[in-house]
């Protein structure tokens, strides 16, 4: 896992980047996880990405899996639920 994975380049043509606040790394497991999908699961058991499983994502030579997870409608639903809960707590 490399540092650039924690940022995403926007498709606005300006080269802007945003932090992937949902992405967490466990040095103990040497795996990456999706914080919001673990906290607010929305996908079915047979439709989970490795970012949602207990062993996490560790296929470092498959960086395209990161964007695939991020663009998945289940991830977006979980991300929105997380941010809505966060907004209500403030």
């Amino acid at each position: 896992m490399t540092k650039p994975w924690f940022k995403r380049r926007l498709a606005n043509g300006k080269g802007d980047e945003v932090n992937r606040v949902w992405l967490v790394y466990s040095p103990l497991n040497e795996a990456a996880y999706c914080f919001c999908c673990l906290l607010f699961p929305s996908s079915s058991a047979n439709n989970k990405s490795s970012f949602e499983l207990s062993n996490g994502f560790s296929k470092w030579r498959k960086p395209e899996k990161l964007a695939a997870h991020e663009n998945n409608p289940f991830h977006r639903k979980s991300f929105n639920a997380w941010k809505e809960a966060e907004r209500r707590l403030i």
Side-chain angles (χ1 to χ4, degrees):
M1 179 125 199
T2 62
K3 212 172 191 177
W5 283 36
F6 289 93
K7 292 190 183 279
R8 177 175 58 96
R9 189 171 299 268
L10 298 178
N12 63 4
K14 297 179 185 177
D16 294 338
E17 292 182 331
V18 293
N19 290 326
R20 285 186 167 118
V21 294
W22 57 267
L23 183 62
V24 293
Y25 177 75
S26 168
L28 181 65
N29 297 340
E30 295 181 342
Y33 298 89
C34 178
F35 178 78
C36 57
C37 289
L38 291 172
L39 200 60
F40 298 96
S42 62
S43 57
S44 61
N46 62 346
N47 201 20
K48 292 186 181 295
S49 80
S50 55
F51 289 95
E52 303 172 73
L53 301 175
S54 59
N55 56 344
F57 176 81
S58 59
K59 294 180 180 168
W60 310 123
R61 295 177 193 237
K62 302 252 183 203
E64 66 276 5
K65 299 275 187 179
L66 186 65
H69 176 79
E70 189 170 48
N71 293 317
N72 185 303
F74 295 115
H75 167 77
R76 292 179 184 263
K77 184 176 179 182
S78 297
F79 185 86
N80 288 336
W82 172 39
K83 289 302 174 180
E84 179 63 25
E86 187 178 70
R87 185 187 66 77
R88 289 175 185 228
L89 290 172
I90 296 175

